[in-house]
Amino acid sequence: MTIALNRSGEPQTIPSRNGAAGRTEAPQGTAFRAPDGIVQYVRIGDLQLESGVTLPDAVLAFETWGTLNADASNAVLIEHALTGDTHVTRGASEEPGWWEQLAGPGAPVDTDKYFVVSINILGGCSGSTGPSSPAPDGRPWGSRFPLVTLRDTTAAEARAADALGIDCWFAVLGGSLGGARALEWAVTYPERVRRCAVISVGASSTAEQIAFAQAQTLAIRQDPHYNGGDYYGGPEPEAGLALARRIAHITYRSAAELDGRFGRNAQGSEAPLAAGPLGGRGRYQVESYLDHQGSKLARRFDANSYIAITEALMSHDVCRGRGSLQESLAGATAEFLVAAVDSDRLYFPAQSRALAEALPGCPDLHMIEAPIGHDGFLTEIGQLSGQLRECFFG
């Protein structure tokens, strides 16, 4: 396994999707100490997937903050959500992170005390091997990229932890897809997780959640530019990806938040009820908002990766092949913190409660009060600061 550090001006051996940031291979066995918040890469070799397919020569992108202590006992893994990346907090970078309230100097996950790691999920487009990465023949994987489950991504991350010299995580935590990844870590590798925080997700993806996800992936696949997934080098399915994001974003926000924020108001001078042909009418504010969210994601994310990661989330089921929920969780030895957002209409608090009640020790369910909906796990994570500091990071 090889750890490589991103350094400007050095050869770019494995280009990213947009060609901006490359990867420079380090000598075998050499461990770099990168500045906080700078992307690094680790080759984890061939990975046998749940489907029976082997993904060859896989690479994972990751960032770190803080210093790993001598016995590697202070390592914390923070898992990102569906369209997130490795940049949890600022560090040496000028770019703000997506969970600054959670991690950083003096934050609940104090990077002056803990060695924080965040790994881009396998199948992603932020440095890890995914559909836009070159296959062994040099062409992008595209339609040939295999199905990756959350158990596969966990197995991949375990190899990355091995390469970093981390035998056991002080804590693993995440929200939404990140919470599902954290839970899978605690169940698959109980001896390697001392504490686990599962936020805004249940023990499995329900039929309704799979239905919402299927609508999103179908929106991409039906884009005329999708070309069965082999669109690299030509027009990309941006319209389909933007539509997928619109569908998802409705589930990320509560009805009350959308109504209170936008109501039935028109967008600027546009007139939703004044038009000749139907296609010429103006937009409501909420439509403009969804248009913005869709186009913003389409500019930075790969459509195939959106499908790959969404289908990985569809696979989320800690009970698969393990028995009942209680039986599946019985072997987990971590200290758990389970939390939900009270207004979440994607991953209902009842699912988090059922998970908490089935876990060994029956931990309390902590409720984040946020009218915004599912996204409250990001915007209001500060409400868990007390519990995290007292229970996990005191």
Side-chain angles (χ1 to χ4, degrees):
M1 298 181 186
T2 303
I3 299 175
L5 174 63
N6 221 21
R7 293 178 175 177
S8 60
E10 294 188 2
Q12 296 184 357
T13 57
I14 310 174
S16 65
R17 176 178 175 245
N18 61 15
R23 307 174 193 170
T24 303
E25 293 300 328
Q28 186 70 24
T30 299
F32 280 98
R33 176 66 181 96
D36 287 357
I38 301 299
V39 181
Q40 304 170 72
Y41 304 89
V42 57
R43 291 191 177 277
I44 60 171
D46 298 349
L47 186 68
Q48 182 81 16
L49 305 177
E50 272 200 279
S51 65
V53 173
T54 297
L55 183 64
D57 195 21
V59 173
L60 293 181
F62 66 99
E63 293 182 36
T64 66
W65 298 261
T67 302
L68 187 65
N69 59 15
D71 61 358
S73 62
N74 69 333
V76 175
L77 177 63
I78 297 180
E79 303 276 38
H80 68 74
L82 183 68
T83 57
D85 56 25
T86 55
H87 199 58
V88 174
T89 190
R90 196 179 307 256
S93 166
E94 295 182 0
E95 180 185 356
W98 49 264
W99 232 0
E100 297 260 345
Q101 293 183 62
L102 178 69
V109 187
D110 190 345
T111 53
D112 288 335
K113 181 177 181 181
Y114 297 100
F115 180 67
V116 176
V117 181
S118 182
I119 302 173
N120 183 226
I121 193 170
L122 188 68
C125 56
S126 295
S128 293
T129 296
S132 61
S133 305
D137 63 2
R139 296 186 295 114
W141 277 99
S143 63
R144 300 172 295 165
F145 192 76
L147 173 69
V148 172
T149 69
L150 288 193
R151 293 188 193 176
D152 294 328
T153 70
T154 304
E157 290 169 9
R159 292 195 187 178
D162 291 341
L164 290 170
I166 300 168
D167 294 327
C168 181
W169 297 104
F170 181 88
V172 181
L173 65 160
S176 193
L177 168 67
R181 296 166 69 188
L183 180 62
E184 192 63 50
W185 252 103
V187 173
T188 304
Y189 300 104
E191 73 285 358
R192 302 191 69 169
V193 180
R194 293 170 57 191
R195 296 167 181 81
C196 180
V198 183
I199 305 168
S200 296
V201 74
S204 63
S205 292
T206 66
E208 181 181 56
Q209 288 149 6
I210 293 171
F212 278 126
Q214 191 261 3
Q216 296 166 49
T217 59
L218 191 60
I220 297 171
R221 288 183 166 118
Q222 291 187 340
D223 186 301
H225 292 147
Y226 183 63
N227 193 32
D230 296 316
Y231 51 80
Y232 302 108
E236 298 193 5
E238 294 182 358
L241 178 57
L243 178 55
R245 182 62 162 187
R246 289 176 178 88
I247 296 167
H249 208 77
I250 295 168
T251 70
Y252 298 160
R253 299 301 174 101
S254 69
E257 197 263 345
L258 292 175
D259 197 52
R261 184 173 177 183
F262 304 110
R264 293 186 49 80
N265 297 323
Q267 173 62 22
S269 61
E270 298 183 35
L273 300 181
L278 285 174
R281 74 164 179 82
R283 297 172 298 170
Y284 293 97
Q285 282 185 3
V286 69
E287 293 178 292
S288 175
Y289 170 70
L290 292 175
D291 288 346
H292 170 70
Q293 294 297 330
S295 62
K296 185 170 68 171
L297 182 72
R299 289 192 298 268
R300 72 171 180 87
F301 214 79
D302 179 57
N304 272 330
S305 279
Y306 193 98
I307 291 175
I309 300 171
T310 297
E311 293 194 349
L313 183 54
M314 287 185 190
S315 79
H316 171 48
D317 180 8
V318 295
C319 297
R320 186 172 66 254
R322 293 168 170 156
S324 68
L325 182 56
Q326 288 79 6
E327 290 169 340
S328 301
L329 299 174
T333 57
E335 176 186 345
F336 280 90
L337 185 150
V338 183
V341 177
D342 60 356
S343 59
D344 197 336
R345 60 174 175 175
L346 177 58
Y347 290 97
F348 296 106
Q351 292 175 259
S352 296
R353 186 174 301 281
L355 171 63
E357 291 175 349
L359 281 166
C362 195
D364 293 335
L365 174 65
H366 300 281
M367 198 65 68
I368 298 171
E369 298 179 357
I372 195 175
H374 181 67
D375 276 353
F377 84 88
L378 285 171
T379 62
E380 302 298 329
I381 191 64
Q383 292 187 29
L384 296 181
S385 292
Q387 291 90 341
L388 288 169
R389 291 181 191 274
E390 294 170 13
C391 300
F392 275 21
F393 303 107

